[in-house]
Amino acid sequence: MSKKIATIFLVACLVVISIGMASAYEDKSDKIKDNNATRSEYGIQWQMSYGTSAWTSARYEGPQPIGDCDNDGKNELLISGRDSMLRVMKWNENTNTYVQTRVLHCPFYPILRADAGGFAIGDVNNDGKNEIAATWYSAIYKYFFGRYWTIGWYPAIFNNGGGSSDCYIGDCNNDGENELIVSGGPSRPLSTVPEINILKWSGFRLVKIAEWDDEGSGYVYMPALGDVDNDGKNELVCACSGKVFVLKWNEENSVFDSTVILNVPHGQDTPFGCVCKDCDGDGSAEILVSYYSPHITIFKWNGSGYATQFDVTWPGGDPVIEGIDVGDTDDDGIPEVVAGAGITHIMQWNGMTYVEEATLPTYGWMAVICVGDIDNDGKNEINAGNVDVDSGQDFMEWVFKYGWEGS
């Protein structure tokens, strides 16, 4: 079961009691060796087991889990799952590991034990400082006076029979200010909740300013935002009902104009998540699409449309779903594509195609793959975690670092 379907079910029930407690694994510093890779010196900087229960231990994805959420000039890492908790992790230079500094809950906890299926760090209220957004009731948390305070939420999605899978902070209508992009869709019959809701901070609360509704009863799991057609303006990209859409904001009519760039026939690989980042190093964002299978596709704007730049399937692998991101993971100044298909694959553009540089020893359905500077040394790490594993296996969260040899 994918993370988002489980999220909708658990939130709709609102009675699942969190019983899983995190138990630490000993940090390991051995390098990971891959004889087929040209550069494989990625070490496990940190790892944690959250147990073996599919109901309480599975890890969830947030599209922007790395950032400075307490505005002290240093990044934190957000970790969530099916345990009604959103953990704020911070690198401790004295102990040389990540420590949990805070735990956040939904605004109505402990009466309602909802899970944060999606979460993000960014400037939601456009005050120049970052906040945390979480999909449980589209809640916003702001750090001041030594703790995180709930400053707003938007319950209309759940109140009208909808579910929320992810949220993203960014400027989707190109007005120079950030919006909160909440994805999901109907979670019960006859619900009219759209797949994309655009929320804006009004000064004291979140208000809905726009939406995008696919025909039928689709569901959007992991949307992305970026200038993917090189016009200087951002577009939204999402997968819904077997299609991949590019949504361009129509300022005159205050709506999204949609273009389908991929339409998968029923019964074949279903597109799941999207990422809009520069993965070939030319300064322009490409569109990366993951699937409900061990498969990814990269699309590139060619001046008139979106052409397939790269497509790969890993036979025998696990579904990538949301386990995909882009960033310079080995500090060579060139971005890598990181995709978790059970084993996590690290690939780099060589001028003609994407070549695998290394693999990481992850397993299961990788709902978490994110690249960013988590330990604040100016170099990126890879955060990984799984949402589905074989019976008896541990649900894990990892941080991998290139060249890591510490303990």
Side-chain angles (χ1 to χ4, degrees):
M1 181 183 295
S2 73
K3 105 182 174 182
K4 304 304 180 185
I5 297 172
T7 301
I8 300 167
F9 175 77
L10 294 177
V11 172
C13 293
L14 296 177
V15 295
V16 178
I17 299 176
S18 173
I19 59 174
M21 298 301 292
S23 59
Y25 265 38
E26 180 183 0
D27 288 345
K28 296 180 180 179
S29 59
D30 293 339
K31 289 183 179 180
I32 301 158
K33 297 297 182 182
D34 176 11
N35 294 329
N36 296 321
T38 56
R39 289 192 293 274
S40 58
E41 299 89 351
Y42 289 87
I44 300 176
Q45 188 186 43
W46 178 84
Q47 65 178 350
M48 180 80 76
S49 166
Y50 290 87
T52 59
S53 169
W55 290 102
T56 60
S57 305
R59 298 297 90 199
Y60 278 164
E61 162 72 310
Q64 298 162 307
I66 301 169
D68 182 8
C69 55
D70 62 4
N71 299 290
D72 68 346
K74 296 183 178 181
N75 287 337
E76 285 79 35
L77 169 68
L78 302 181
I79 295 176
S80 184
R82 295 181 195 155
D83 48 17
S84 307
M85 291 182 274
L86 180 57
R87 295 172 169 88
V88 181
M89 309 293 294
K90 197 176 189 76
W91 178 254
N92 187 308
E93 295 179 357
N94 295 324
T95 59
N96 223 33
T97 190
Y98 295 93
V99 296
Q100 180 176 296
T101 62
R102 295 289 189 280
V103 173
L104 306 183
H105 299 285
C106 89
F108 310 109
Y109 183 89
I111 299 173
L112 301 180
R113 293 176 177 264
D115 298 331
F119 42 92
I121 299 172
D123 185 5
V124 181
N125 64 359
N126 296 289
D127 67 346
K129 297 182 179 181
N130 287 334
E131 292 79 38
I132 294 173
T135 55
W136 46 37
Y137 297 93
S138 302
I140 307 298
Y141 301 84
K142 190 170 189 64
Y143 188 85
F144 57 95
F145 293 122
R147 59 166 291 188
Y148 292 91
W149 302 81
T150 305
I151 62 171
W153 61 85
Y154 184 81
I157 295 172
F158 290 135
N159 292 346
N160 289 284
S164 296
S165 57
D166 262 318
C167 59
Y168 195 100
I169 301 168
D171 183 6
C172 64
N173 62 1
N174 300 290
D175 66 348
E177 294 186 341
N178 288 333
E179 290 79 40
L180 180 62
I181 303 155
V182 182
S183 64
S187 62
R188 68 183 185 215
L190 304 180
S191 172
T192 59
V193 170
E195 285 79 6
I196 298 284
N197 288 277
I198 308 300
L199 309 180
K200 188 94 170 183
W201 186 257
S202 68
F204 61 94
R205 66 188 181 98
L206 287 169
V207 297
K208 181 176 174 178
I209 63 167
E211 67 179 42
W212 177 77
D213 193 8
D214 184 29
E215 295 180 2
S217 57
Y219 206 86
V220 172
Y221 294 102
M222 180 178 162
L225 181 70
D227 180 9
V228 294
D229 61 2
N230 302 314
D231 67 347
K233 297 181 179 180
N234 286 332
E235 288 78 38
L236 265 173
V237 182
C238 66
C240 186
S241 302
K243 304 180 183 70
V244 175
F245 296 86
V246 175
L247 308 178
K248 181 179 283 292
W249 181 249
N250 184 321
E251 184 176 357
E252 181 178 354
N253 299 316
S254 296
V255 297
F256 288 102
D257 297 329
S258 65
T259 299
V260 176
I261 66 169
L262 177 67
N263 190 353
V264 178
H266 181 71
Q268 296 186 16
D269 288 355
T270 302
F272 197 95
C274 300
V275 172
C276 298
K277 293 183 179 181
D278 177 17
C279 51
D280 63 7
D282 69 347
S284 300
E286 286 73 48
I287 299 172
L288 296 90
V289 176
S290 62
Y291 294 81
Y292 212 121
S293 63
H295 178 196
I296 69 168
T297 305
I298 300 176
F299 295 93
K300 188 174 185 66
W301 178 255
N302 62 11
S304 60
Y306 298 92
T308 300
Q309 185 188 49
F310 182 70
D311 186 270
V312 62
T313 298
W314 293 281
D318 289 314
V320 177
I321 52 172
E322 296 178 330
I324 187 168
D325 201 6
V326 177
D328 181 6
T329 62
D330 59 7
D331 198 39
D332 65 351
I334 305 173
E336 279 79 32
V337 173
V338 186
I343 293 171
T344 294
H345 302 265
I346 301 176
M347 298 166 288
Q348 190 175 83
W349 179 252
N350 69 358
M352 298 181 61
T353 188
Y354 291 87
V355 177
E356 185 166 286
E357 292 187 328
T359 58
L360 305 179
T362 56
Y363 60 87
W365 295 28
M366 302 303 297
V368 181
I369 290 287
C370 289
V371 178
D373 183 8
I374 316 174
D375 64 6
N376 300 289
D377 68 345
K379 301 177 182 179
N380 288 332
E381 290 76 46
I382 301 170
N383 171 223
N386 44 34
V387 71
D388 189 39
V389 297
D390 291 339
S391 178
Q393 287 186 317
D394 289 339
F395 289 91
M396 297 291 297
E397 191 96 19
W398 297 272
V399 175
F400 294 94
K401 188 174 183 68
Y402 183 78
W404 179 254
E405 295 181 348
S407 61

